Amino acid sequence: MPTTESLSPAALLAVYTLALRIHLVDERFRGLLRSGRLAAVYYSPRGQEILAAAMGVHLNARDYLVTTYRGIHDQLAKGIPLRSLFAEYYGKATGACKGKGGAMHITHPASGVMVTTGVVGSGLPIANGLAWASQLKGEDRVTLCCFGDGASNIGAFHEALNLAALWKLPVIFLCQNNGYGECTPYGKATASARISDRAAAYGPNMLGVTVDGNDPEAMWTASAAAVARARSGEGPTLLEAKTFRFMGHYFGDPGAYIPKAEYDAALAKDPMPATRAAVLASGISEAELEDLKKQIEADIDDALQFALDSPVPDLDEINRDIYADPTGAPA
């Protein structure tokens, strides 16, 4: 895989800053849910902060993102404003979808977050459509499509990857392989040793890569190559990022189906403290990292208060943004 540079201290800090933002937002949402101050479906990205951040630093606001209900880390890495995100979770009119999409359908085109899907694997054909539009218009936009290992076993996965390879679409299929499809271990649902091995089935236009998604340098390097490949018209990449989720499938899932030894081994390699240690070793001080954390927490406080103070949508919003002519909607 061609690369032109390695992860510099500045790039490492950029990845960690974004990952810390994801980490602290996730902590805040889980705290709000536990205390009863928020009622929403929630799928924690805990453990997958680094892979999203290492990809996000290579994308710009014009690039597209298609993600899933477990995609808050992807949305934050893509740059969705915190105020829009928090307000949407609270169902407020100032939210990314005017409070009508909710956590399962976060959309914010201004930052390139085009759709969050609630159906496993349904985002892959949508990503192809966005990438095809960019190709037809001669734009240099990249479409990033995020999904889990379970989604790689449905028909839409194969249909989307075949078409993307055939037309050399500027799309990156980022499989975040956390080892479990809901409650089913990877090995009980998938015969392939690696998801990326399937890229070979789609011909020479599709590149398959497996990387340790919890290693900031490996993930940063693989992401840089996939983005460069898509942007230059070389074709799609199936990028499989190996990772782990620490909070079960959904908020409240104790994850009893995960063997304790496996969980403990993953926790011992938690990418957040490991990356923090790497940032410190690169020359950043503890005080600087503490200031960074305080600034992010202040931004989160602001976003939460904005959401709490915002109004709920008016009743006449119920048909708006659904029908081309809201007055012609069924009574």
Side-chain angles (χ1 to χ4, degrees):
M1 176 173 284
T3 57
T4 55
E5 57 181 326
S6 59
L7 185 63
S8 66
L12 176 62
L13 179 60
V15 170
Y16 180 72
T17 298
L18 202 44
L20 184 60
R21 186 178 180 87
I22 294 166
H23 183 79
L24 294 175
V25 168
D26 174 53
E27 279 193 340
R28 183 64 63 92
F29 271 118
R30 286 189 280 115
L32 291 168
L33 289 163
R34 280 195 302 270
S35 65
R37 297 177 65 199
L38 172 64
V41 292
Y42 188 69
Y43 299 84
S44 172
R46 180 70 186 90
Q48 301 176 196
E49 300 95 334
I50 295 299
L51 72 85
M55 173 60 79
V57 296
H58 295 293
L59 300 175
N60 59 53
R62 282 175 48 79
D63 294 326
Y64 293 136
L65 169 69
V66 175
T67 188
T68 73
Y69 51 82
R70 185 191 298 287
I72 191 171
H73 55 324
D74 303 323
Q75 296 151 4
L76 289 164
K78 192 63 184 64
I80 189 170
L82 288 183
R83 283 186 166 192
S84 297
L85 181 69
F86 273 76
E88 191 60 36
Y89 267 80
Y90 273 89
K92 297 299 184 72
T94 55
C97 303
K98 303 181 185 177
K100 298 187 289 185
M104 296 288 281
H105 302 292
I106 298 288
T107 300
H108 190 261
S111 58
V113 181
M114 300 307 288
V115 65
T116 296
T117 62
V119 178
V120 170
S122 62
L124 286 94
I126 297 173
N128 270 3
L130 291 164
W132 189 30
S134 300
Q135 187 183 67
L136 289 174
K137 294 177 180 176
E139 299 172 338
D140 65 350
R141 282 174 160 152
V142 172
T143 296
L144 173 65
C145 181
C146 298
F147 54 93
D149 44 290
S152 68
N153 290 333
I154 73 166
F157 170 88
H158 303 286
E159 294 163 5
L161 268 66
N162 178 64
L163 194 66
L166 181 66
W167 293 351
K168 296 182 73 173
L169 296 179
V171 59
I172 300 167
F173 298 104
L174 176 54
C175 177
Q176 302 179 11
N177 187 348
N178 59 32
Y180 287 85
E182 294 198 3
C183 307
T184 304
Y186 178 87
K188 288 191 175 181
T190 305
S192 304
R194 300 189 303 184
I195 298 297
S196 67
D197 288 345
R198 295 177 175 179
Y202 307 110
N205 292 341
M206 176 74 70
L207 182 64
V209 179
T210 292
V211 64
D212 180 352
N214 291 349
D215 180 331
E217 181 159 9
M219 188 64 202
W220 186 91
T221 302
S223 298
V227 170
R229 176 179 165 81
R231 211 179 295 284
S232 65
E234 294 180 68
T237 298
L238 172 56
L239 179 56
E240 176 187 17
K242 292 290 190 68
T243 184
F244 194 80
R245 57 172 158 84
F246 293 115
M247 295 295 164
H249 176 56
Y250 54 84
F251 180 80
D253 172 15
Y257 45 85
I258 302 176
K260 186 176 186 305
E262 179 184 350
Y263 187 91
D264 290 346
L267 194 60
K269 297 187 291 186
D270 187 339
M272 284 305 294
T275 304
R276 188 178 192 278
V279 171
L280 289 170
S282 74
I284 304 298
S285 69
E286 286 275 6
E288 289 173 295
L289 290 188
E290 188 59 29
D291 287 344
L292 176 63
K293 182 181 179 184
K294 288 178 180 177
Q295 180 57 58
I296 295 172
E297 287 177 332
D299 293 342
I300 294 173
D301 290 341
D302 169 78
L304 175 58
Q305 194 59 53
F306 173 79
L308 294 173
D309 293 342
S310 294
V312 296
D314 292 335
L315 189 58
D316 62 6
E317 279 282 338
I318 196 165
N319 288 329
R320 195 165 292 151
D321 305 321
I322 297 174
Y323 299 98
D325 178 10
T327 61

